[in-house]
Amino acid sequence: MIGLQHYLLVSAALFSLGILGVLTRRNAVNVLMGIELILNSANLNLVAFSRYGAGNLNGQLFAVFVIVIAAAEVAVALAIVLTLYRLRRSPNLDTADLLRG
Amino acid sequence: MNPSDVVFLALAALTVGSAGVVVLARSLIYNAFALLFTFFGVAGLYLLLGADFLAATQLLIYVGGILVLLLFGVMLTHKLYDLDLKSEVQQFSAGLFILVGIFGILVFTIHRTPWRVGPGRAPAATTADLGREFMGAWLLPFEAASVLLLVALIGAAMIVRRRKEA
């Protein structure tokens, strides 16, 4: 019987893979994909708690807010990545060292 | 095993497997298309959890908006003649160590925590109830989120705008 813990396990796997993507990629767009995986795993947790918890919709309401934050985040982050690319001709994050003295 | 368990296992395998491709594949285009399947898998899991409105929102916003935006990011930050858009992976063994550590801690916590499972919400249409909640008890966060979204979009346009040389 599938229960709350199975959903939490899937979410934990998504979260760990997202962390791996954020840590090991040089390309800024790939790092953004890792962040999307992490936000999706948090959403999956919230929806699972909403289904198996106290029986109200609060988890799903939170998930909608997380989706709004994710949309705002990806728009601003891509703007920053494009500006960085225009400055350095490279999408790699280790070229973003303009503040180094 | 009843049919819904089989569906859950298939969706979980699709989600985690394609997430692995997102993180591990070298080609940026493969990453983006694997992310498509991850979003579809998560939307299916939402449906299985009885969150019909969220599943539709996931498809509309993540697949229709965020994924397309990420593809634009891939295309705009590479020369169009680059046929193989490769992305480097660095310090993979250290990252793998952290992956195993975090996943181990999470699995340990999930198994050891006595989750308070309540009566739960049987799968039913959620859209009307969600709308009532947003316009009722959650009105202030709802309006704040709309302002945040507007500010973020204007800010993004300001950041990428080409400035005239002063």
Side-chain angles (χ1 to χ4, degrees):
Chain A
M1 189 59 198
I2 299 294
L4 173 65
Q5 298 191 347
H6 299 88
Y7 286 96
L8 296 185
L9 279 178
V10 174
S11 163
L14 270 185
F15 180 81
S16 322
L17 283 170
I19 291 280
L20 179 68
V22 170
L23 287 179
T24 59
R25 289 301 188 134
R26 275 183 79 193
N27 193 310
V29 181
N30 272 124
V31 173
L32 282 181
M33 291 179 188
I35 294 174
E36 294 307 323
L37 287 184
I38 292 173
L39 288 170
N40 260 296
S41 80
N43 262 353
L44 193 56
N45 265 3
L46 290 172
V47 178
F49 287 138
S50 189
R51 168 74 178 82
Y52 293 103
N56 54 27
L57 279 174
N58 286 354
Q60 294 191 27
L61 288 158
F62 257 87
V64 172
F65 285 118
V66 172
I67 290 179
V68 172
I69 303 291
E73 170 259 336
V74 80
V76 174
L78 273 179
I80 294 173
V81 170
L82 288 186
T83 311
L84 176 70
Y85 181 73
R86 208 180 282 153
L87 280 174
R88 288 293 160 106
R89 291 286 125 199
S90 161
N92 289 337
L93 282 174
D94 48 3
T95 59
D97 55 356
L98 282 83
L99 285 179
R100 179 183 286 173
Chain B
M1 260 165 80
N2 47 18
S4 74
D5 293 2
V6 178
V7 173
F8 170 81
L9 287 180
L11 284 173
L14 172 75
T15 309
V16 176
S18 58
V21 176
V22 171
V23 173
L24 298 176
R26 290 288 195 276
S27 161
L28 270 169
I29 299 295
Y30 284 3
N31 296 151
F33 276 96
L35 198 59
L36 172 74
F37 288 103
T38 310
F39 289 157
F40 270 121
V42 174
L45 289 175
Y46 287 169
L47 276 184
L48 216 53
L49 284 168
D52 52 349
F53 178 78
L54 261 182
T57 311
Q58 167 92 3
L59 288 187
L60 279 176
I61 296 183
Y62 271 102
V63 177
I66 291 179
L67 192 62
V68 172
L69 218 54
L70 283 174
L71 275 172
F72 269 121
V74 171
M75 296 297 172
L76 288 175
T77 55
H78 290 84
K79 294 178 188 64
L80 284 179
Y81 310 106
D82 273 351
L83 282 181
D84 50 335
L85 304 170
K86 296 289 189 227
S87 168
E88 287 173 58
V89 174
Q90 58 182 9
Q91 297 179 333
F92 184 71
S93 50
L96 205 62
F97 179 72
I98 292 175
L99 166 92
V100 172
I102 287 180
F103 188 65
I105 291 171
L106 285 177
V107 169
F108 180 75
T109 312
I110 288 169
H111 275 294
R112 291 298 295 271
T113 307
W115 298 102
R116 280 182 51 197
V117 177
R121 183 190 160 86
T126 59
T127 311
D129 288 341
L130 277 177
R132 226 167 270 128
E133 293 274 337
F134 272 129
M135 286 294 124
W138 294 71
L139 186 58
L140 183 64
F142 183 75
E143 293 296 333
S146 71
V147 173
L148 171 87
L149 201 55
L150 180 69
V151 169
L153 293 181
I154 294 176
M158 288 287 289
I159 291 173
V160 287
R161 193 182 53 147
R162 274 181 204 280
R163 291 175 187 78
K164 288 208 179 85
E165 293 300 321

